[in-house]
Every structure is written in C-alpha cells, then in structure tokens.
Amino acid sequence: MSFRWENENPNPNSPLKKRWSLNQMVMAMKLQSLSCSPGITDKSNPILSPFPLPITDRTLLLSDELLLKIIALVSDSSTQRNSNSLVCKRWLNLQGRLVRSLRISDWNFLLSGRLIHRFPNLNHVDLLSAALISPKYSDVLLTNRVISMHLSSDSFPYWCFCEDNMLPFQVIDNGLTSLAAGCPNLRRLHVIGATEIGLLTVAEECSTLQVLELQRCSDNILRGIAACGNLQILKLVGHVDGFYNSVVSDIGLTILAQGCKRLVKLELSGCEGSFDGIKAIGKCCQMLEELTFSDHRMGDGWLAAISFCENLKTLRFQSCKRIDPNPGMEEYLGCCPALDRLHLQKCQLRDKKSVAALFSVCRVVREIVIQDCWGLDNSIFSFAMICRRVKLLYVEGCSLLTTEGLECVIHSWKELQSLRVVTCKNIKDSEISPALATLFTTLKELRWSPDTKSLLPSGVMGKKGDKFFKRAR
C-alpha cells in the first residue's frame, strides 16, 4: 500500500511558494555576482539549482576594492604582509597592489615583466643589487659606504671589482625602459651603470620622479639626468675605491645645473670639479638647501664657489681626505648668508689653511657637528671662533682636542645653548675651570661624556644645566 503526497494543483499564490521564489532569487543574485570572481570555476548554471551552493571563502562576497582596504588596514608588519600573500592567488595579487617600495636582486624579474605584473603600483625601486653579478653561494662580502657585493675567491687579484661584475649597459637600459613603461608614477630610483639613453627614457615616462641615486656616473650620463625637470633630491657617485672609476667634472655639473633647477638636496660622492662647476650649481639651483660632499676630488679654489648657494642651509662633508688645499685669499671666499648647519664626519682636518677657509665661508652657522675627524687639535679648532652665532656644538671622537682648546672657543660664542662632548679622551673633568663651570649652568642642554670614566661633579651644575645633564654610566 502506497501513499502519494503531492498537490496536483499547487496554489501559485501560497505563502510557501512566495518564500521559495524569494530565496531562489536572492541566491541567484549572489551567485551571479560571484560568477565573475576568479574563485568560481563551476560552469553549471547556478540559477537552476534549488539549493544554495556551499561557499568556503566568505571573502569572495567582498569586492576587490573593499577587500583591498581591509588588507591595507591589517598589514602593519612584514610578517603579516607575507601571511596575507599566502592565503590565495587573489590575496597575493591584492597584496602586491599595496607594495610601494621594493629592492630588486634579480634583473630578469624586471625584464620578464613579472615585476610590473606583481607590483603595479611601485613608486620606489632600488636596482643596485640586481645590476651586479654576484655568485649565489659566497661568504665573501665586499662593502663600502655606498655599495656592497658578494665576491668569489677568484676576484681578489683584481682591484676594481664592479668593472667585471656588472651587467652590460644595454641590459640595464632595457630594464629601465621596462620599469619606466610599467611604473609611470615612479618617484624614487636607485640605479648603477645606466647610460644617457636609459635615463632619458625614465625622464620622459616618469615625470613625477623626485629622488634619484645614480652610481658609476659620468659627464655624458648627466645629460639624461638633466631631463628630469621635477628632480628634487639627487645623489651622484662618480668614483669608489676598489669598485669602479668614473669621472664627474665641471662639464657634467654645469649640465646638471642647467637641467635640474628644482634641486633641494644634492650629494656629490667621489666627484671631481672646481670653482666653475659649483658656481653653476649655486647660480642655477636657487632652491638648493642641502649640499653634501663625500670623498670629493675637487680642484684647488672650489670652496669660494659655495658662497653662490645663497639659500643653502646645510653643508656636509663625509669621509673627505681634504677640504681645499689652496682656497685662495680670505677676502675672496665670500660667505653663505642662509647657512645654518655645518657637519664634518670622518674627515681629515690637518690642513690649517683649508679649515680656516671653511669656517670663514660658514661664519654664520648656528650648528656645528664634528664627528670622528682626524687632526682636530686646539689650533685647528680655534679657527671656529669666527662663527659667532653658534647655538649648538657637537664634538665626538676627536682625541686631540683638549679642555683648554674647547673652552677657548665656546667662550667666544655668546649665543651657545647646547653642548655635547662625546668620546674625546683629552678633555678631562679635572681641567674644568670655574669659568667653564659657570658657562655650563647657562646652557639649555649639556651632554658631557668625553670618556667612559667621566663623572662631572654635580657641584659645577646649576639648576638649569643639571636638568639636561647626562652622566656617563
């Protein structure tokens, strides 16, 4: 005996039928929106299915734009960003859109187009490591202040390692062409071994480029940089001992000055030149505020051209074996009227004539920082007395300077407010005179640790100076 449960004439207006039709319509709309998603691969028609399909990934209900905003909020660390990329291919692509800065170690990754496909929104790219040919497995690391690379043991008989361990110029230019075509919003670029053609391509395609570091630079290559009209921060590396030999002379500096007139910061490392090249930069680059010389090879008399940089606020010397051996007569040196800061780091300050000329050009500075410089004794430091407006002095790692030499100079600075003396072994606590102790009480900031044993008696400190005093422990 059998029973048949079936309504032969179902009522189309029944509440159950209406509810079923509504649920089916809502599910059809959801599935239709998911049909365009890469996570749905079922080719069957979901509208004909009377039951909802199981959805294991609820993020498929979110649009790419909404999910991208969520990922951006939770990606607060590199570990979290790596974890996001491992979820699925969709998250991998979305995480790639959020990457703005990248250092590349494989040049083929750029030439193949995978870089642009994987990271389409880059605005900061570092190509220095990728342009150097290094062995995959090497424990030998050759490093310098501006560049480092891995070497094999067979490279040691040679002196300039980068000359034979760098990609050909054509390959580097092709990579720059691919990068410029895929990253039109590029703002910051680090590259080595490029030619004028490659840099011209970048200048034409990436009009928003503002920061550029170019290593192994020469006068001809600067023609390409001159086309970057919006460039604001530039670092040029011409010669690096043990790595490569390139020449940047007055010709290149003049070309640069005529093309990049919006420069705000300029660093010249291992560059040659003279009075004419620096004068051209000062005359043309009216917005220049910071100028750095690193291991420079400038000719005699170039220091007088600094006075043409009328809006210069910071002058920095790093790892320079000399300043200016023959600066000329003091009355022709001039002065930088807007200069506020003079920084000397790891420089040779043995030549009295050049140091005297330097302080004369920088006589209006308010901040002097001298770190780990050789040859700075009492007689050399006394030339700083011409800087009458100094408010901050920071001396570190100058072993020849004594307490007497320091006191003689800072007593001539009536506007001094901050004094920091660190690791200067010939400056002794026992040699502090009553006049110097009185000066300490008027300072707004005092850091006194000339050696690890320095324990300045609290009796020499007034209330004002003691508040900011830091003892060595």
Side-chain angles (χ1 to χ4, degrees):
M1 186 175 183
S2 63
F3 295 91
R4 187 177 183 184
W5 188 276
E6 181 179 354
N7 191 355
E8 300 291 343
N9 297 311
N11 184 7
N13 297 323
S14 64
L16 182 61
K17 185 67 176 178
K18 291 182 178 180
R19 183 178 179 183
W20 177 260
S21 301
L22 180 60
N23 291 339
Q24 191 175 26
M25 182 182 300
V26 171
M27 182 55 60
M29 293 174 63
K30 288 183 178 181
L31 293 174
Q32 187 175 6
S33 64
L34 292 175
S35 61
C36 299
S37 175
I40 299 296
T41 59
D42 190 3
K43 297 183 179 180
S44 61
N45 190 356
I47 301 179
L48 300 179
S49 177
F51 301 102
L53 296 177
I55 303 177
T56 59
D57 187 2
R58 294 294 179 180
T59 61
L60 294 176
L61 300 175
L62 304 176
S63 63
D64 287 350
E65 290 74 15
L66 181 58
L67 184 58
L68 193 64
K69 293 180 180 179
I70 296 175
I71 295 177
L73 292 175
V74 300
S75 301
D76 55 349
S77 64
S78 59
T79 304
Q80 183 62 47
R81 289 191 291 268
N82 294 335
S83 300
N84 294 340
S85 302
L86 297 176
V87 174
C88 61
K89 288 186 177 180
R90 184 191 182 199
W91 281 50
L92 178 66
N93 294 330
L94 293 178
Q95 184 65 48
R97 298 185 191 179
L98 298 175
V99 177
R100 298 292 185 269
S101 176
L102 192 65
R103 176 180 295 175
I104 302 173
S105 58
D106 185 3
W107 199 267
N108 291 327
F109 186 58
L110 172 60
L111 293 178
S112 63
R114 290 177 294 167
L115 172 67
I116 308 304
H117 178 75
R118 177 74 173 82
F119 308 102
N121 298 323
L122 290 174
N123 55 33
H124 178 192
V125 179
D126 188 345
L127 301 175
L128 295 178
S129 300
L132 300 176
I133 304 174
S134 300
K136 294 183 178 180
Y137 306 101
S138 175
D139 294 332
V140 181
L141 177 63
L142 180 64
T143 183
N144 187 279
R145 185 176 48 83
V146 296
I147 190 173
S148 61
M149 62 182 298
H150 287 274
L151 298 174
S152 63
S153 58
D154 299 335
S155 302
F156 285 97
Y158 304 97
W159 178 241
C160 291
F161 299 102
C162 282
E163 298 292 343
D164 298 327
N165 295 278
M166 188 180 300
L167 294 176
F169 296 137
Q170 299 82 357
V171 176
I172 295 178
D173 287 344
N174 291 338
L176 290 178
T177 302
S178 301
L179 180 65
C183 300
N185 296 323
L186 193 65
R187 295 179 179 271
R188 191 182 188 103
L189 177 63
H190 305 261
V191 66
I192 181 174
T195 66
E196 176 185 355
I197 299 176
L199 292 174
L200 281 174
T201 304
V202 174
E204 293 175 357
E205 299 292 337
C206 307
S207 59
T208 60
L209 186 66
Q210 297 179 351
V211 182
L212 176 62
E213 177 184 350
L214 180 60
Q215 296 198 22
R216 202 184 184 187
C217 182
S218 63
D219 292 339
N220 293 331
I221 298 175
L222 288 175
R223 299 181 185 273
I225 300 179
C228 303
N230 294 322
L231 202 61
Q232 297 182 7
I233 301 176
L234 176 62
K235 179 179 180 180
L236 300 179
V237 183
H239 173 87
V240 179
D241 290 333
F243 286 87
Y244 49 80
N245 295 311
S246 298
V247 177
V248 176
S249 64
D250 286 337
I251 298 176
L253 295 179
T254 304
I255 296 173
L256 172 66
Q258 294 176 352
C260 302
K261 297 183 178 182
R262 296 186 179 183
L263 282 179
V264 178
K265 295 182 180 181
L266 174 62
E267 179 176 350
L268 302 176
S269 178
C271 296
E272 300 179 7
S274 64
F275 178 88
D276 295 333
I278 303 301
K279 178 182 177 180
I281 292 176
K283 285 287 188 180
C284 298
C285 304
Q286 296 292 330
M287 301 173 62
L288 188 64
E289 296 183 356
E290 182 174 327
L291 181 58
T292 302
F293 295 92
S294 300
D295 191 22
H296 75 79
R297 288 163 169 75
M298 296 289 174
D300 295 347
W302 72 272
L303 192 59
I306 296 293
S307 60
F308 290 94
C309 303
E310 297 180 354
N311 295 317
L312 190 66
K313 291 182 172 57
T314 302
L315 180 60
R316 183 178 286 109
F317 292 86
Q318 298 176 347
S319 303
C320 294
K321 299 180 180 64
R322 58 179 185 174
I323 302 298
D324 189 344
N326 189 14
M329 300 181 66
E330 183 178 356
E331 53 267 26
Y332 298 111
L333 290 176
C335 176
C336 293
L339 193 63
D340 287 334
R341 293 172 290 274
L342 173 63
H343 291 197
L344 300 169
Q345 300 172 348
K346 298 182 179 180
C347 296
Q348 294 279 359
L349 302 180
R350 305 180 187 277
D351 186 8
K352 294 184 179 181
K353 184 184 299 185
S354 62
V355 175
L358 175 63
F359 283 122
S360 178
V361 172
C362 307
R363 64 174 66 100
V364 298
V365 294
R366 298 180 180 272
E367 175 182 316
I368 296 180
V369 177
I370 305 176
Q371 293 178 290
D372 301 320
C373 291
W374 295 273
L376 185 71
D377 56 12
N378 293 346
S379 60
I380 294 291
F381 188 61
S382 64
F383 293 113
M385 296 177 62
I386 195 174
C387 306
R388 302 289 184 178
R389 302 171 62 182
V390 174
K391 292 185 176 182
L392 183 148
L393 173 64
Y394 181 23
V395 182
E396 179 181 357
C398 300
S399 59
L400 299 180
L401 185 63
T402 66
T403 309
E404 180 183 0
L406 176 67
E407 180 179 0
C408 181
V409 174
I410 62 177
H411 271 305
S412 65
W413 294 342
K414 304 303 180 182
E415 301 181 15
L416 185 65
Q417 298 177 357
S418 300
L419 176 62
R420 305 171 190 171
V421 180
V422 180
T423 320
C424 300
K425 65 179 184 179
N426 277 329
I427 297 180
K428 306 295 183 180
D429 294 346
S430 58
E431 299 176 356
I432 297 177
S433 65
L436 184 58
T438 303
L439 177 63
F440 285 167
T441 63
T442 64
L443 298 177
K444 292 183 178 180
E445 179 186 1
L446 174 61
R447 180 182 178 185
W448 186 267
S449 54
D451 56 63
T452 56
K453 299 180 180 180
S454 177
L455 290 175
L456 189 64
S458 58
V460 303
M461 298 303 304
K463 294 182 179 180
K464 191 174 183 180
D466 186 62
K467 181 179 179 181
F468 297 92
F469 179 67
K470 301 178 181 179
R471 288 189 178 183
R473 296 185 182 275

